[in-house]
PDB file of all heavy atoms in Angstrom:
ATOM      1  N   LYS A  53      78.942 122.227  81.198  1.00 97.00           N
ATOM      2  CA  LYS A  53      78.986 121.473  82.465  1.00 97.00           C
ATOM      3  C   LYS A  53      77.692 120.782  82.750  1.00 97.00           C
ATOM      4  O   LYS A  53      77.669 119.555  83.028  1.00 97.00           O
ATOM      5  CB  LYS A  53      79.320 122.439  83.635  1.00 97.00           C
ATOM      6  CG  LYS A  53      80.573 123.257  83.431  1.00 97.00           C
ATOM      7  CD  LYS A  53      80.802 124.216  84.610  1.00 97.00           C
ATOM      8  CE  LYS A  53      79.750 125.276  84.812  1.00 97.00           C
ATOM      9  NZ  LYS A  53      79.767 126.312  83.792  1.00 97.00           N
ATOM     10  N   THR A  54      76.579 121.530  82.711  1.00 96.00           N
ATOM     11  CA  THR A  54      75.268 120.979  83.050  1.00 96.00           C
ATOM     12  C   THR A  54      74.913 119.891  82.046  1.00 96.00           C
ATOM     13  O   THR A  54      74.401 118.822  82.410  1.00 96.00           O
ATOM     14  CB  THR A  54      74.184 122.069  83.101  1.00 96.00           C
ATOM     15  OG1 THR A  54      74.502 122.914  84.200  1.00 96.00           O
ATOM     16  CG2 THR A  54      72.805 121.489  83.288  1.00 96.00           C
ATOM     17  N   GLN A  93      70.474 122.913  91.248  1.00 80.00           N
ATOM     18  CA  GLN A  93      70.867 124.254  91.702  1.00 80.00           C
ATOM     19  C   GLN A  93      69.763 124.865  92.570  1.00 80.00           C
ATOM     20  O   GLN A  93      70.051 125.525  93.587  1.00 80.00           O
ATOM     21  CB  GLN A  93      71.105 125.103  90.473  1.00 80.00           C
ATOM     22  CG  GLN A  93      71.687 126.482  90.811  1.00 80.00           C
ATOM     23  CD  GLN A  93      72.096 127.202  89.540  1.00 80.00           C
ATOM     24  OE1 GLN A  93      72.284 126.618  88.508  1.00 80.00           O
ATOM     25  NE2 GLN A  93      72.274 128.490  89.646  1.00 80.00           N
ATOM     26  N   ASP A 169      74.684 119.935  90.721  1.00 94.00           N
ATOM     27  CA  ASP A 169      74.837 121.030  89.750  1.00 94.00           C
ATOM     28  C   ASP A 169      74.824 122.377  90.458  1.00 94.00           C
ATOM     29  O   ASP A 169      73.775 122.828  90.902  1.00 94.00           O
ATOM     30  CB  ASP A 169      73.688 120.964  88.726  1.00 94.00           C
ATOM     31  CG  ASP A 169      73.974 121.883  87.490  1.00 94.00           C
ATOM     32  OD1 ASP A 169      74.971 122.617  87.543  1.00 94.00           O
ATOM     33  OD2 ASP A 169      73.201 121.788  86.544  1.00 94.00           O
ATOM     34  N   GLU A 170      75.983 122.975  90.595  1.00 92.00           N
ATOM     35  CA  GLU A 170      76.125 124.275  91.299  1.00 92.00           C
ATOM     36  C   GLU A 170      75.302 124.318  92.567  1.00 92.00           C
ATOM     37  O   GLU A 170      74.469 125.250  92.709  1.00 92.00           O
ATOM     38  CB  GLU A 170      75.768 125.403  90.345  1.00 92.00           C
ATOM     39  CG  GLU A 170      76.448 125.334  88.978  1.00 92.00           C
ATOM     40  CD  GLU A 170      77.313 126.543  88.669  1.00 92.00           C
ATOM     41  OE1 GLU A 170      77.599 127.319  89.590  1.00 92.00           O
ATOM     42  OE2 GLU A 170      77.709 126.660  87.514  1.00 92.00           O
ATOM     43  N   VAL A 201      79.323 120.196  89.688  1.00 97.00           N
ATOM     44  CA  VAL A 201      79.482 121.229  88.686  1.00 97.00           C
ATOM     45  C   VAL A 201      79.683 122.606  89.349  1.00 97.00           C
ATOM     46  O   VAL A 201      78.932 122.935  90.291  1.00 97.00           O
ATOM     47  CB  VAL A 201      78.220 121.293  87.778  1.00 97.00           C
ATOM     48  CG1 VAL A 201      78.170 122.625  86.989  1.00 97.00           C
ATOM     49  CG2 VAL A 201      78.208 120.134  86.816  1.00 97.00           C
TER      50      VAL A 201
HETATM   51 MG1   MG B   2      74.868 124.876  84.144  1.00 93.55          MG
END
Side-chain angles (χ1 to χ4, degrees):
K53 306 178 296 290
T54 294
Q93 187 171 342
D169 193 352
E170 309 239 15
V201 163

